[in-house]
């Protein structure tokens, strides 16, 4: 887990990579300055939840997400129903990632080139970022994330640049999510509607 000292008066955006049936899982939280479009990534957490259920895997990230007080975290469309069902009981919603994964990486590359991203000191994260490749695929580009080989016999299988995947999802968001956004975006399953009503009532009481 990585943490760094950053301006705490800014809102937070989060990216979550939970496709851990084959790879690691990772969470990245960044403060965002909406006026300057600068990001201060203050929390990067990578886990190897091999053999865990989704609920157990999600549990590893719930505490830092709840401390950040964000309404939603961006996660890709892998196993989206399972992700949503395990986040919603904690009052957190899944923000759909861009349909084309390359979009998040293109934006992250632009922000990095402009010096708008402040990262915690991590050799692993920076090494993984440098290992990401883009390959032309027709009129688009395809992102290639090399599989990192773990030590033989070790519990850590090496990962698949999952920390980078979570990071670029946090950087793709220009402003933090609000409960109101989910009123129309989230399907009205009973447990979803119940949680939406609860959060809306809390928001009203704080006004």
């Amino acid at each position: 887990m990585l943490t760094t000292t950053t301006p705490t008066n800014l809102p937070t955006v989060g990216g979550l990579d939970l496709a851990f049936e084959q790879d690691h899982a990772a969470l990245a939280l960044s403060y965002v300055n909406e006026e300057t479009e600068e990001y201060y990534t203050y929390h990067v957490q990578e886990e190897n939840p091999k053999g865990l259920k989704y609920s157990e895997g999600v549990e590893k990230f719930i505490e830092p997400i709840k401390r950040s007080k964000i309404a939603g975290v961006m996660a890709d469309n892998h196993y989206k129903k399972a992700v949503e069902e395990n986040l919603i009981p904690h009052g957190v919603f899944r923000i759909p990632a861009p349909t084309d994964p390359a979009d998040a990486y293109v934006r992250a590359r632009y922000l990095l080139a402009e010096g708008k991203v402040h990262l915690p000191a991590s050799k692993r994260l920076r090494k993984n970022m440098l290992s990401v490749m883009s390959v032309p695929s027709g009129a688009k580009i395809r992102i290639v994330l090399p599989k990192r080989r773990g030590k033989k016999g070790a519990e850590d299988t090496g990962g698949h640049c999952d920390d980078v995947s979570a990071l670029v999802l946090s950087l793709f968001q220009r402003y933090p999510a609000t409960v109101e956004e989910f009123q129309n975006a989230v399907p009205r399953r009973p447990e979803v509607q119940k949680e939406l009503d609860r959060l809306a009532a809390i928001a009203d009481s704080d006004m």
Side-chain angles (χ1 to χ4, degrees), residues 69-128:
K69 298 181 180 180
I70 52 178
V73 62
M74 183 171 285
D76 64 24
N77 297 317
H78 291 294
Y79 320 107
K80 61 181 181 181
K81 185 176 180 180
V83 173
E84 290 171 356
E85 288 177 347
N86 285 288
L87 285 176
I88 287 170
H90 298 280
V92 182
F93 297 90
R94 185 187 75 91
I95 304 170
T99 304
D100 186 349
D103 290 346
Y105 285 87
V106 170
R107 173 169 168 76
R109 180 181 294 177
Y110 159 75
L111 292 171
L112 288 164
E114 293 293 316
K116 292 179 176 292
V117 181
H118 307 271
L119 298 171
S122 167
K123 291 183 179 179
R124 178 183 174 92
L125 176 61
R126 293 177 185 273
K127 187 173 183 178
N128 283 347

